[in-house]
mmCIF file of all heavy atoms in Angstrom:
data_model
loop_
_atom_site.group_PDB
_atom_site.id
_atom_site.type_symbol
_atom_site.label_atom_id
_atom_site.label_comp_id
_atom_site.label_asym_id
_atom_site.label_seq_id
_atom_site.Cartn_x
_atom_site.Cartn_y
_atom_site.Cartn_z
ATOM 1 N N MET A 76 -6.077 -54.172 -31.291
ATOM 2 C CA MET A 76 -6.519 -54.058 -29.940
ATOM 3 C C MET A 76 -7.295 -55.360 -29.589
ATOM 4 O O MET A 76 -8.175 -55.781 -30.333
ATOM 5 C CB MET A 76 -7.440 -52.828 -29.749
ATOM 6 C CG MET A 76 -7.998 -52.668 -28.377
ATOM 7 S SD MET A 76 -9.089 -51.281 -28.180
ATOM 8 C CE MET A 76 -7.899 -50.002 -27.853
ATOM 9 N N HIS A 77 -6.908 -55.963 -28.492
ATOM 10 C CA HIS A 77 -7.534 -57.216 -28.083
ATOM 11 C C HIS A 77 -8.946 -56.894 -27.508
ATOM 12 O O HIS A 77 -9.179 -55.794 -27.052
ATOM 13 C CB HIS A 77 -6.708 -57.903 -27.024
ATOM 14 C CG HIS A 77 -5.387 -58.429 -27.537
ATOM 15 N ND1 HIS A 77 -5.331 -59.446 -28.481
ATOM 16 C CD2 HIS A 77 -4.115 -58.056 -27.289
ATOM 17 C CE1 HIS A 77 -4.097 -59.660 -28.781
ATOM 18 N NE2 HIS A 77 -3.343 -58.813 -28.062
ATOM 19 N N ILE A 78 -9.800 -57.852 -27.482
ATOM 20 C CA ILE A 78 -11.145 -57.678 -26.933
ATOM 21 C C ILE A 78 -11.100 -57.275 -25.474
ATOM 22 O O ILE A 78 -11.920 -56.472 -25.015
ATOM 23 C CB ILE A 78 -12.029 -58.918 -27.227
ATOM 24 C CG1 ILE A 78 -13.500 -58.650 -26.867
ATOM 25 C CG2 ILE A 78 -11.507 -60.088 -26.370
ATOM 26 C CD1 ILE A 78 -14.172 -57.792 -27.861
ATOM 27 N N THR A 79 -10.144 -57.849 -24.737
ATOM 28 C CA THR A 79 -10.018 -57.507 -23.315
ATOM 29 C C THR A 79 -9.690 -55.992 -23.158
ATOM 30 O O THR A 79 -10.295 -55.333 -22.304
ATOM 31 C CB THR A 79 -8.956 -58.353 -22.648
ATOM 32 O OG1 THR A 79 -9.196 -59.704 -22.948
ATOM 33 C CG2 THR A 79 -8.939 -58.145 -21.169
ATOM 34 N N SER A 80 -8.749 -55.486 -23.950
ATOM 35 C CA SER A 80 -8.393 -54.086 -23.906
ATOM 36 C C SER A 80 -9.551 -53.180 -24.231
ATOM 37 O O SER A 80 -9.788 -52.178 -23.610
ATOM 38 C CB SER A 80 -7.240 -53.821 -24.834
ATOM 39 O OG SER A 80 -6.087 -54.566 -24.470
ATOM 40 N N LEU A 81 -10.323 -53.585 -25.302
ATOM 41 C CA LEU A 81 -11.462 -52.806 -25.674
ATOM 42 C C LEU A 81 -12.515 -52.762 -24.579
ATOM 43 O O LEU A 81 -13.084 -51.713 -24.316
ATOM 44 C CB LEU A 81 -12.054 -53.390 -26.967
ATOM 45 C CG LEU A 81 -13.316 -52.712 -27.488
ATOM 46 C CD1 LEU A 81 -13.007 -51.238 -27.861
ATOM 47 C CD2 LEU A 81 -13.866 -53.478 -28.687
ATOM 48 N N LEU A 82 -12.808 -53.900 -23.996
ATOM 49 C CA LEU A 82 -13.819 -53.975 -22.922
ATOM 50 C C LEU A 82 -13.363 -53.124 -21.712
ATOM 51 O O LEU A 82 -14.189 -52.411 -21.087
ATOM 52 C CB LEU A 82 -14.072 -55.402 -22.540
ATOM 53 C CG LEU A 82 -14.814 -56.254 -23.567
ATOM 54 C CD1 LEU A 82 -14.908 -57.698 -23.074
ATOM 55 C CD2 LEU A 82 -16.217 -55.674 -23.841
ATOM 56 N N LEU A 83 -12.096 -53.219 -21.410
ATOM 57 C CA LEU A 83 -11.551 -52.394 -20.278
ATOM 58 C C LEU A 83 -11.623 -50.912 -20.633
ATOM 59 O O LEU A 83 -12.027 -50.078 -19.723
ATOM 60 C CB LEU A 83 -10.096 -52.788 -19.978
ATOM 61 C CG LEU A 83 -9.544 -52.243 -18.730
ATOM 62 C CD1 LEU A 83 -10.303 -52.658 -17.506
ATOM 63 C CD2 LEU A 83 -8.086 -52.721 -18.584
ATOM 64 N N PHE A 84 -11.345 -50.549 -21.871
ATOM 65 C CA PHE A 84 -11.485 -49.151 -22.272
ATOM 66 C C PHE A 84 -12.897 -48.648 -22.149
ATOM 67 O O PHE A 84 -13.128 -47.571 -21.673
ATOM 68 C CB PHE A 84 -10.932 -49.068 -23.715
ATOM 69 C CG PHE A 84 -10.952 -47.695 -24.321
ATOM 70 C CD1 PHE A 84 -10.048 -46.720 -23.928
ATOM 71 C CD2 PHE A 84 -11.888 -47.325 -25.307
ATOM 72 C CE1 PHE A 84 -10.068 -45.446 -24.495
ATOM 73 C CE2 PHE A 84 -11.900 -46.103 -25.850
ATOM 74 C CZ PHE A 84 -10.986 -45.166 -25.427
ATOM 75 N N LEU A 85 -13.845 -49.486 -22.632
ATOM 76 C CA LEU A 85 -15.261 -49.069 -22.522
ATOM 77 C C LEU A 85 -15.707 -49.022 -21.043
ATOM 78 O O LEU A 85 -16.532 -48.143 -20.730
ATOM 79 C CB LEU A 85 -16.117 -50.062 -23.295
ATOM 80 C CG LEU A 85 -15.913 -50.058 -24.818
ATOM 81 C CD1 LEU A 85 -16.740 -51.159 -25.548
ATOM 82 C CD2 LEU A 85 -16.286 -48.726 -25.377
ATOM 83 N N LEU A 86 -15.257 -49.895 -20.243
ATOM 84 C CA LEU A 86 -15.651 -49.872 -18.832
ATOM 85 C C LEU A 86 -15.104 -48.629 -18.157
ATOM 86 O O LEU A 86 -15.832 -47.945 -17.403
ATOM 87 C CB LEU A 86 -15.041 -51.135 -18.076
ATOM 88 C CG LEU A 86 -15.285 -51.232 -16.587
ATOM 89 C CD1 LEU A 86 -16.711 -51.360 -16.281
ATOM 90 C CD2 LEU A 86 -14.501 -52.326 -15.999
ATOM 91 N N ILE A 87 -13.872 -48.277 -18.430
ATOM 92 C CA ILE A 87 -13.260 -47.085 -17.856
ATOM 93 C C ILE A 87 -14.063 -45.852 -18.361
ATOM 94 O O ILE A 87 -14.409 -44.938 -17.623
ATOM 95 C CB ILE A 87 -11.776 -46.930 -18.187
ATOM 96 C CG1 ILE A 87 -10.978 -48.002 -17.424
ATOM 97 C CG2 ILE A 87 -11.263 -45.527 -17.857
ATOM 98 C CD1 ILE A 87 -9.533 -48.113 -17.779
ATOM 99 N N GLY A 88 -14.363 -45.835 -19.655
ATOM 100 C CA GLY A 88 -15.164 -44.715 -20.201
ATOM 101 C C GLY A 88 -16.517 -44.625 -19.555
ATOM 102 O O GLY A 88 -16.992 -43.499 -19.207
ATOM 103 N N ALA A 89 -17.225 -45.705 -19.314
ATOM 104 C CA ALA A 89 -18.539 -45.730 -18.748
ATOM 105 C C ALA A 89 -18.476 -45.225 -17.282
ATOM 106 O O ALA A 89 -19.288 -44.368 -16.886
ATOM 107 C CB ALA A 89 -19.136 -47.107 -18.776
ATOM 108 N N ILE A 90 -17.518 -45.674 -16.531
ATOM 109 C CA ILE A 90 -17.384 -45.273 -15.143
ATOM 110 C C ILE A 90 -17.017 -43.817 -15.047
ATOM 111 O O ILE A 90 -17.567 -43.069 -14.241
ATOM 112 C CB ILE A 90 -16.365 -46.142 -14.396
ATOM 113 C CG1 ILE A 90 -16.883 -47.577 -14.291
ATOM 114 C CG2 ILE A 90 -16.112 -45.581 -13.025
ATOM 115 C CD1 ILE A 90 -15.818 -48.591 -13.768
ATOM 116 N N ALA A 91 -16.076 -43.365 -15.887
ATOM 117 C CA ALA A 91 -15.642 -42.004 -15.899
ATOM 118 C C ALA A 91 -16.813 -41.019 -16.292
ATOM 119 O O ALA A 91 -16.969 -39.977 -15.711
ATOM 120 C CB ALA A 91 -14.439 -41.790 -16.834
ATOM 121 N N GLY A 92 -17.580 -41.422 -17.308
ATOM 122 C CA GLY A 92 -18.680 -40.637 -17.715
ATOM 123 C C GLY A 92 -19.746 -40.542 -16.610
ATOM 124 O O GLY A 92 -20.306 -39.464 -16.362
ATOM 125 N N TRP A 93 -20.035 -41.662 -15.929
ATOM 126 C CA TRP A 93 -21.009 -41.673 -14.839
ATOM 127 C C TRP A 93 -20.503 -40.819 -13.675
ATOM 128 O O TRP A 93 -21.265 -40.010 -13.129
ATOM 129 C CB TRP A 93 -21.176 -43.148 -14.399
ATOM 130 C CG TRP A 93 -22.038 -43.264 -13.201
ATOM 131 C CD1 TRP A 93 -23.401 -43.094 -13.105
ATOM 132 C CD2 TRP A 93 -21.644 -43.636 -11.883
ATOM 133 N NE1 TRP A 93 -23.834 -43.291 -11.824
ATOM 134 C CE2 TRP A 93 -22.751 -43.665 -11.030
ATOM 135 C CE3 TRP A 93 -20.411 -43.952 -11.348
ATOM 136 C CZ2 TRP A 93 -22.726 -43.958 -9.703
ATOM 137 C CZ3 TRP A 93 -20.354 -44.261 -9.992
ATOM 138 C CH2 TRP A 93 -21.440 -44.258 -9.212
ATOM 139 N N LEU A 94 -19.216 -40.965 -13.290
ATOM 140 C CA LEU A 94 -18.690 -40.139 -12.195
ATOM 141 C C LEU A 94 -18.687 -38.683 -12.527
ATOM 142 O O LEU A 94 -19.093 -37.852 -11.646
ATOM 143 C CB LEU A 94 -17.232 -40.610 -11.918
ATOM 144 C CG LEU A 94 -17.059 -41.891 -11.148
ATOM 145 C CD1 LEU A 94 -15.565 -42.266 -11.033
ATOM 146 C CD2 LEU A 94 -17.633 -41.768 -9.725
ATOM 147 N N SER A 95 -18.339 -38.304 -13.740
ATOM 148 C CA SER A 95 -18.285 -36.926 -14.083
ATOM 149 C C SER A 95 -19.739 -36.346 -14.054
ATOM 150 O O SER A 95 -19.929 -35.195 -13.703
ATOM 151 C CB SER A 95 -17.633 -36.704 -15.446
ATOM 152 O OG SER A 95 -18.380 -37.339 -16.435
ATOM 153 N N GLY A 96 -20.682 -37.153 -14.506
ATOM 154 C CA GLY A 96 -22.103 -36.705 -14.420
ATOM 155 C C GLY A 96 -22.579 -36.512 -13.017
ATOM 156 O O GLY A 96 -23.263 -35.503 -12.750
ATOM 157 N N LEU A 97 -22.185 -37.366 -12.120
ATOM 158 C CA LEU A 97 -22.516 -37.240 -10.713
ATOM 159 C C LEU A 97 -21.888 -35.936 -10.132
ATOM 160 O O LEU A 97 -22.573 -35.210 -9.387
ATOM 161 C CB LEU A 97 -22.038 -38.434 -9.890
ATOM 162 C CG LEU A 97 -22.782 -39.742 -10.032
ATOM 163 C CD1 LEU A 97 -22.089 -40.785 -9.214
ATOM 164 C CD2 LEU A 97 -24.208 -39.542 -9.647
#
Side-chain angles (χ1 to χ4, degrees):
M76 179 181 274
H77 295 292
I78 189 73
T79 308
S80 299
L81 178 63
L82 291 175
L83 190 59
F84 182 72
L85 293 174
L86 177 66
I87 290 171
I90 294 170
W93 174 72
L94 284 173
S95 63
L97 287 177

